[in-house]
Amino acid sequence: VQLQASGGGLVQAGGSLRLSCAASGSTDVMGWFRQAPGKEREFVARANWSGVQTAYGNSVKGRFTISRDRAENTLHLQMNNLKPEDTAVYLCAAGRYSQRYQTYEYDSWGQGTQVTVSS
């Protein structure tokens, strides 16, 4: 599956951005991760194939909303009340559910989109 992310940019603290990720095929799960300079990759949010089951990282709960447009095979991430610590490259990922390990495994990654939040 090929993934094309878009929607990053520069915004002031308290502002909003909407990221999108278009997938070339169907997947069990699509999600967003982020990586800031000098830090490890961090889970942001995921949505299952229907978009009904979602999960969020603790640092974004209540501020970010993930949604999945099945007709367009596109994942969206609405980011509100952005903070400077949200600054990172945001990576779109897709994968399958592993029955063996009872977890989602991501095997396709997009190119990333930069989000910069100024204070």
Side-chain angles (χ1 to χ4, degrees), residues 18-91:
R18 179 179 168 91
L19 304 183
S20 296
C21 178
S24 63
S26 62
T27 61
D28 290 343
V29 65
M30 291 183 72
W32 291 97
F33 293 76
R34 67 187 183 185
Q35 188 158 21
K39 294 186 177 181
E40 294 186 353
R41 184 173 294 178
E42 176 187 12
F43 167 73
V44 176
R46 70 166 184 262
N48 74 329
W49 68 273
S50 68
V52 173
Q53 296 180 6
T54 60
Y56 296 89
N58 288 334
S59 61
V60 306
K61 282 181 181 177
R63 300 187 298 122
F64 292 10
T65 302
I66 194 169
S67 61
R68 192 165 180 179
D69 184 332
R70 291 173 59 190
E72 298 290 331
N73 216 10
T74 300
L75 184 74
H76 301 289
L77 184 69
Q78 179 66 41
M79 306 185 294
N80 297 329
N81 190 22
L82 282 160
K83 303 175 181 181
E85 51 263 43
D86 294 318
T87 296
V89 174
Y90 283 69
L91 299 159

